């Protein structure tokens, strides 16, 4: 499947260079280019691309605000940040605004293609350095005490599905582990998103950590069992926000 992409960058030379590079990459079609965030939002409304490659520091409307508007108005379009900056003040606001990927401009063509395909499949497309920074941030947060009952009205089964999502399993793999249909898994995930108030799997992983359903790296993990309050302890520590090897090509929620 060819990914339809818009490039947003205020520097003409950089923007044209990215467009030229993408034109040489397999599976990528550049359908538009924007010189600032305002133009990027307008082009998304007009062209309905799959992915926007978004610079952060632009005039009129910066990349974070443009990302927020795109994700609110056009949720089918994903945003991958492509920027010079990887500091916390750039990274975390962009992710909170709804960016599903984050690359720095030293990324190679293969890395850009991989990030675009990952976000289209429902995963996160993050540079290795960004993944490490997220791990460091999660590890630095004080552990949340395990809850006596799942939060926000989640059922035991939904909490178990959420734990497997956080471990990096695909819908098909979750179905196989729990001996249920893939459609049932998708229904559980949709219910989780609605109850937890999250938009995607990356936010669901963060939700699981924040509510003590998953422990930060270096500690044991507790997962709610399916019936009678049973718990399964000492599970493998899950990868963070898509930092896992690909196991399946099935489409995620």
């Amino acid at each position: 499947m060819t990914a339809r992409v818009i490039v947003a960058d205020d520097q003409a030379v950089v923007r044209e260079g990215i467009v030229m590079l993408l034109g040489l990459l397999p599976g990528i079609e550049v359908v538009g280019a924007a010189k600032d965030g305002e133009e990027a939002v307008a082009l998304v409304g007009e062209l309905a691309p799959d992915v926007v490659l978004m610079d952060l520091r632009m005039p009129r409307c910066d990349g974070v605000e443009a990302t927020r508007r795109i994700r609110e108005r056009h949720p089918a379009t994903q945003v991958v940040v492509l920027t010079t900056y990887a500091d916390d003040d750039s990274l975390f606001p962009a992710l909170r605004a709804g960016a599903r990927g984050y690359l720095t401009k030293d990324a190679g063509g293969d890395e850009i293609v991989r990030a675009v395909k990952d976000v289209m499949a429902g995963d996160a497309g993050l540079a290795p350095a960004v993944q490490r920074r997220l791990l460091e941030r999660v590890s630095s947060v004080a552990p949340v005490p395990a809850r006596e009952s799942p939060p926000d009205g989640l059922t035991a089964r939904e909490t178990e599905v959420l734990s497997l999502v956080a471990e990096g399993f695909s819908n098909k793999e979750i179905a196989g582990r729990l001996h249920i249909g893939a459609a049932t898994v998708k229904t559980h995930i949709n219910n989780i998103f609605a109850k937890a108030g999250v938009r995607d799997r990356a936010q669901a992983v963060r939700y699981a950590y924040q509510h003590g359903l998953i422990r930060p790296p270096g500690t044991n993990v507790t997962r709610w069992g399916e019936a009678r309050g049973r718990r399964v302890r000492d599970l493998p520590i899950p990868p963070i926000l898509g930092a896992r090897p690909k196991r399946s090509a099935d489409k995620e929620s």
Side-chain angles (χ1 to χ4, degrees), residues 2 28 159:
T2 299
I28 302 287
T159 309

Side-chain angles (χ1 to χ4, degrees), residues 1-71:
M1 177 180 177
T2 299
R4 301 174 68 253
V5 174
I6 284 175
V7 175
D9 196 296
D10 64 319
Q11 299 183 40
V13 173
V14 175
R15 184 173 64 250
E16 292 167 5
I18 294 171
V19 169
M20 184 177 299
L21 171 63
L22 294 178
L24 301 174
L25 300 178
I28 302 287
E29 177 189 1
V30 179
V31 296
K35 63 180 179 297
D36 56 43
E38 290 279 3
E39 190 172 334
V41 175
L43 281 177
V44 170
E46 177 184 345
L47 300 173
D50 299 305
V51 178
V52 178
L53 289 178
M54 182 78 72
D55 190 23
L56 287 183
R57 302 187 183 181
M58 297 184 291
R60 293 208 299 166
C61 173
D62 66 21
V64 171
E65 177 60 20
T67 296
R68 185 189 65 77
R69 294 182 192 178
I70 289 169
R71 296 297 296 142

Side-chain angles (χ1 to χ4, degrees), residues 136-158:
E136 291 167 0
R137 172 63 70 91
V138 171
S139 300
S140 68
V141 176
V144 179
R147 302 178 64 98
E148 291 304 316
S149 61
D152 294 322
L154 294 178
T155 66
R157 176 63 94 185
E158 288 166 352

Side-chain angles (χ1 to χ4, degrees), residues 2-251:
T2 299
R4 301 174 68 253
V5 174
I6 284 175
V7 175
D9 196 296
D10 64 319
Q11 299 183 40
V13 173
V14 175
R15 184 173 64 250
E16 292 167 5
I18 294 171
V19 169
M20 184 177 299
L21 171 63
L22 294 178
L24 301 174
L25 300 178
I28 302 287
E29 177 189 1
V30 179
V31 296
K35 63 180 179 297
D36 56 43
E38 290 279 3
E39 190 172 334
V41 175
L43 281 177
V44 170
E46 177 184 345
L47 300 173
D50 299 305
V51 178
V52 178
L53 289 178
M54 182 78 72
D55 190 23
L56 287 183
R57 302 187 183 181
M58 297 184 291
R60 293 208 299 166
C61 173
D62 66 21
V64 171
E65 177 60 20
T67 296
R68 185 189 65 77
R69 294 182 192 178
I70 289 169
R71 296 297 296 142
E72 285 183 353
R73 302 174 191 178
H74 311 285
T77 296
Q78 303 296 340
V79 177
V80 174
V81 171
L82 184 61
T83 182
T84 305
Y85 309 97
D87 56 283
D88 287 3
D89 290 339
S90 301
L91 169 62
F92 292 104
L95 296 180
R96 284 193 291 267
R100 294 297 306 277
Y102 198 105
L103 301 174
T104 53
K105 287 181 178 175
D106 59 355
D110 289 345
E111 192 172 357
I112 294 173
V113 171
R114 184 165 57 250
V116 168
K117 298 299 185 183
D118 282 347
V119 299
M120 288 178 61
D123 293 324
L126 302 174
V130 172
Q131 293 178 6
R132 287 194 297 272
R133 183 66 197 106
L134 289 172
L135 282 167
E136 291 167 0
R137 172 63 70 91
V138 171
S139 300
S140 68
V141 176
V144 179
R147 302 178 64 98
E148 291 304 316
S149 61
D152 294 322
L154 294 178
T155 66
R157 176 63 94 185
E158 288 166 352
T159 309
E160 189 169 21
V161 170
L162 176 56
S163 297
L164 292 170
V165 168
E167 288 180 56
F169 291 101
S170 68
N171 288 1
K172 182 177 179 181
E173 291 165 335
I174 293 171
R177 282 177 166 253
L178 299 182
H179 306 290
I180 58 179
T184 301
V185 173
K186 185 162 186 142
T187 297
H188 284 314
I189 291 175
N190 288 338
N191 290 339
I192 291 165
F193 285 7
K195 291 179 180 180
V198 300
R199 293 192 301 262
D200 52 46
R201 294 170 89 92
Q203 290 187 357
V205 173
R206 185 167 61 234
Y207 174 91
Y209 275 96
Q210 290 172 340
H211 289 81
L213 304 178
I214 301 289
R215 299 300 182 127
T219 65
N220 290 338
V221 176
T222 299
R223 188 175 74 208
W224 284 90
E226 175 181 349
R228 296 186 299 280
R230 292 178 299 174
R231 295 179 183 179
V232 181
R233 298 185 180 275
D234 301 329
L235 296 172
I237 298 301
I240 305 297
L241 301 181
R244 67 177 176 92
K246 291 290 183 184
R247 291 190 178 90
S248 173
D250 61 316
K251 184 175 180 60

